[in-house]
């Protein structure tokens, strides 16, 4: 059973979802707005959206049926979002480690996953910001939207409902850790390609080889293989 709620405007759907969990009894509760004023990204980053052009969506998932680790769950969430957009846009869609979604070289989705205990239940709070109809990104050179990358205009309400149903269905039956890892690495952005990274404020060339089950990214650098956690390395693209 899943439910989907709407707010005309809110600061952050990840913050506001708590209010809906106090009264509803469901394994999947979604909340969305097309006007999020203070969106949050990974590790304190800000996720900025233009009102009426994009989707801010949060899904609260009760953890009692989820047996995989937090890292694997994060990977699987990124895979689901990637798969939905790949079906929608019919283009090559990639996952930029750990969980940004890249369409034709531009970031169109940011994902923020938190764990919260609310009303005696534990939840994964999956926050997803999807750039849908925005056509200008002056301040962020590597950002884009479904419109800029495909030329297609999607109906925000239809997209939201279909996205919510897709995520809930996929999260009812989570594959094995091995399947998730293989799928994640198969769709990893710039895997096995020479790329430029910023490590300890210095730029280095390297090749992304794989992400592992501990949430680390393995990069082949000039001095050998090294693993990194998020924020220890920045991929420049």
């Amino acid at each position: 059973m899943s439910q989907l709620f709407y707010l005309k405007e809110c600061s952050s759907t990840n913050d506001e979802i708590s209010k809906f969990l106090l009264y509803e009894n469901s394994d999947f509760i979604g909340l969305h707005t097309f006007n999020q004023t203070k969106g949050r990204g990974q590790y304190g980053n800000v996720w900025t959206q233009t009102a009426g052009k994009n989707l801010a969506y949060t899904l609260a998932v009760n953890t009692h049926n989820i047996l995989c680790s937090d890292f694997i769950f994060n990977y699987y969430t990124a895979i689901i979002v990637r798969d939905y957009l790949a079906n929608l846009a019919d283009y090559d869609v990639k996952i930029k480690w750990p969980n940004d979604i890249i369409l034709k070289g531009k970031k169109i989705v940011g994902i923020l996953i938190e764990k919260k205990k609310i009303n005696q239940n534990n939840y994964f709070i999956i926050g997803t910001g999807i750039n849908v109809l925005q056509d200008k990104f002056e301040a962020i050179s590597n950002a884009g939207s479904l419109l800029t990358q495909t030329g297609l205009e999607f109906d925000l309400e239809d997209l939201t409902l279909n996205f919510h149903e897709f995520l809930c269905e996929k999260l009812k039956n989570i594959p094995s850790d091995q399947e998730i890892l293989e799928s994640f690495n198969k769709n990893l952005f710039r895997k096995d390609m020479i790329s430029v990274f910023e490590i300890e404020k210095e730029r280095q060339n390297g090749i992304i080889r794989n992400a592992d089950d501990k949430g680390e990214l393995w990069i082949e650098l000039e001095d050998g293989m090294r693993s990194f956690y998020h924020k220890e390395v920045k991929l420049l693209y």
Side-chain angles (χ1 to χ4, degrees), residues 13-14 21 27 44 46 82 106 116 129 142 157 194 207 224:
T13 52
N14 263 33
L21 297 176
D27 287 343
V46 176
R82 188 221 77 89
K106 298 285 187 179
K116 292 182 180 178
N142 60 2
E157 293 186 4
I194 296 174
I207 301 172

Side-chain angles (χ1 to χ4, degrees), residues 14 17-18 21 40 59-64 66-71 73-74 112-118 121-127:
N14 263 33
I17 192 78
S18 302
L21 297 176
R40 291 181 291 116
L59 181 66
V61 183
N62 196 310
T63 65
H64 64 78
I66 295 170
L67 304 177
C68 60
S69 72
D70 292 0
F71 294 122
F73 184 80
N74 286 2
L112 173 66
I113 301 178
E114 303 171 299
K115 272 182 113 172
K116 292 182 180 178
K117 187 167 187 176
I118 301 166
N121 291 311
N122 291 308
Y123 293 93
F124 280 112
I125 308 296
I126 306 168

Side-chain angles (χ1 to χ4, degrees), residues 164-219:
H164 174 73
E165 291 176 349
F166 187 85
L167 259 65
C168 293
E169 195 60 38
K170 293 292 184 181
L171 286 165
K172 288 176 185 174
N173 297 293
I174 297 178
S176 70
D177 289 8
Q178 189 60 37
E179 287 178 86
I180 292 170
L181 263 181
E182 286 176 3
S183 180
F184 187 86
N185 280 297
K186 176 186 174 185
N187 292 292
L188 197 53
F189 181 56
R190 295 201 64 82
K191 184 178 184 292
D192 299 325
M193 301 169 66
I194 296 174
S195 303
V196 181
F197 300 90
E198 189 175 285
I199 303 168
E200 296 172 357
K201 298 184 178 179
E202 290 187 4
R203 293 191 175 192
Q204 294 187 44
N205 289 339
I207 301 172
I208 293 172
R209 290 307 187 191
N210 71 287
D212 68 18
D213 60 356
K214 298 180 180 66
E216 294 178 272
L217 184 70
W218 288 86
I219 302 174

Side-chain angles (χ1 to χ4, degrees), residues 29-227:
I29 294 180
L31 172 67
H32 71 289
T33 185
F34 306 127
N35 187 11
Q36 180 171 260
T37 57
K38 293 181 181 176
R40 291 181 291 116
Q42 283 277 9
Y43 297 88
N45 294 333
V46 176
W47 179 256
T48 304
Q49 292 188 315
T50 300
K53 299 283 189 180
N54 305 311
L55 168 64
Y57 165 90
T58 293
L59 181 66
V61 183
N62 196 310
T63 65
H64 64 78
N65 290 324
I66 295 170
L67 304 177
C68 60
S69 72
D70 292 0
F71 294 122
I72 294 293
F73 184 80
N74 286 2
Y75 288 166
Y76 184 55
T77 301
I79 292 165
I80 300 171
V81 177
R82 188 221 77 89
D83 289 352
Y84 176 76
L85 292 167
N87 294 338
L88 198 69
D90 196 28
Y91 283 94
D92 192 25
V93 184
K94 294 292 185 182
I95 302 167
K96 178 178 168 286
W97 176 86
N99 55 8
D100 287 339
I101 307 300
I102 306 292
L103 173 58
K104 293 174 68 178
K106 298 285 187 179
K107 174 180 172 180
I108 63 165
V109 179
I111 302 171
L112 173 66
I113 301 178
E114 303 171 299
K115 272 182 113 172
K116 292 182 180 178
K117 187 167 187 176
I118 301 166
N119 204 22
Q120 303 306 309
N121 291 311
N122 291 308
Y123 293 93
F124 280 112
I125 308 296
I126 306 168
T128 309
I130 305 179
N131 294 334
V132 182
L133 297 171
Q134 189 170 337
D135 58 359
K136 291 183 175 62
F137 296 88
E138 290 94 345
I140 312 170
S141 62
N142 60 2
S145 68
L146 281 168
L147 175 60
T148 63
Q149 300 311 98
T150 69
L152 302 173
E153 291 193 21
F154 292 91
D155 182 273
L156 283 171
E157 293 186 4
D158 287 346
L159 183 144
T160 303
L161 182 59
N162 292 335
F163 183 57
H164 174 73
E165 291 176 349
F166 187 85
L167 259 65
C168 293
E169 195 60 38
K170 293 292 184 181
L171 286 165
K172 288 176 185 174
N173 297 293
I174 297 178
S176 70
D177 289 8
Q178 189 60 37
E179 287 178 86
I180 292 170
L181 263 181
E182 286 176 3
S183 180
F184 187 86
N185 280 297
K186 176 186 174 185
N187 292 292
L188 197 53
F189 181 56
R190 295 201 64 82
K191 184 178 184 292
D192 299 325
M193 301 169 66
I194 296 174
S195 303
V196 181
F197 300 90
E198 189 175 285
I199 303 168
E200 296 172 357
K201 298 184 178 179
E202 290 187 4
R203 293 191 175 192
Q204 294 187 44
N205 289 339
I207 301 172
I208 293 172
R209 290 307 187 191
N210 71 287
D212 68 18
D213 60 356
K214 298 180 180 66
E216 294 178 272
L217 184 70
W218 288 86
I219 302 174
E220 185 177 339
L221 300 168
E222 291 175 5
D223 59 355
M225 291 283 288
R226 282 180 61 186
S227 64

